[in-house]
Amino acid sequence: MRSELISVATGSRETVHDITAECAVFVREQGEDGLLHVFVPHATAGVALLELGSGSDDDLLAALGDLLPADDRWRHRHGSPGHGRSHVMPAILPPYATIPVLGGRMALGTWQSVALVDLNVDNTQRQVRLSFLPG
């Protein structure tokens, strides 16, 4: 298995950050069929495969906001208000995704992209581990 870490600056607001290009470069360097595993080693972030742009990013953040409100209901209370919801999110939106790779290219659907989803406004820098398992 080949693996590398990439750094992603997520800023100080909730974000859906497109990492498709970084993933594409990584699998192209492998140049063969296999599986790409994308993993976020953080307790408050997730990985999503979805259409980005056209409002989908904001729709995902709105849906997560409805499901996991940023208020004082959470028992986990350090950090900014509502921080506890960030620790619940990875149970709903997992911190990983596995994508087939064919001929050095991700076999994504026409409109699918790979995104890091981060509700935690207290950490502005994230790591994402890209791992490739040859076929």
Side-chain angles (χ1 to χ4, degrees):
M1 181 175 79
R2 299 170 204 124
S3 187
E4 76 176 41
L5 275 175
I6 61 171
S7 292
V8 178
T10 54
S12 58
R13 61 186 191 119
E14 297 176 0
T15 188
V16 177
H17 188 89
D18 189 356
I19 58 170
T20 309
E22 293 91 333
C23 293
V25 168
F26 178 72
V27 299
R28 189 170 41 250
E29 291 170 351
Q30 310 314 310
E32 59 184 311
D33 295 354
L35 293 173
L36 169 65
H37 189 73
V38 181
F39 176 70
V40 181
H42 300 286
T44 58
V47 175
L49 301 179
L50 75 160
E51 177 182 5
L52 294 176
S54 302
S56 298
D57 317 42
D58 292 333
D59 289 343
L60 176 58
L61 291 175
L64 289 170
D66 289 344
L67 187 60
L68 303 168
D71 57 23
D72 63 357
R73 74 183 68 200
W74 309 101
R75 290 182 183 98
H76 186 106
R77 293 185 185 264
H78 79 276
S80 59
H83 177 75
R85 77 189 188 121
S86 298
H87 286 274
V88 174
M89 187 196 67
I92 296 165
L93 185 66
Y96 60 86
T98 302
I99 303 158
V101 176
L102 302 171
R105 294 182 57 156
M106 291 181 289
L108 293 170
T110 302
W111 303 110
Q112 283 182 312
S113 296
V114 184
L116 166 67
V117 180
D118 191 1
L119 299 182
N120 184 353
V121 299
D122 297 326
N123 294 325
T124 61
Q125 196 71 24
R126 296 298 186 165
Q127 300 288 312
V128 179
R129 178 161 298 282
L130 306 178
S131 300
F132 184 78
L133 184 63

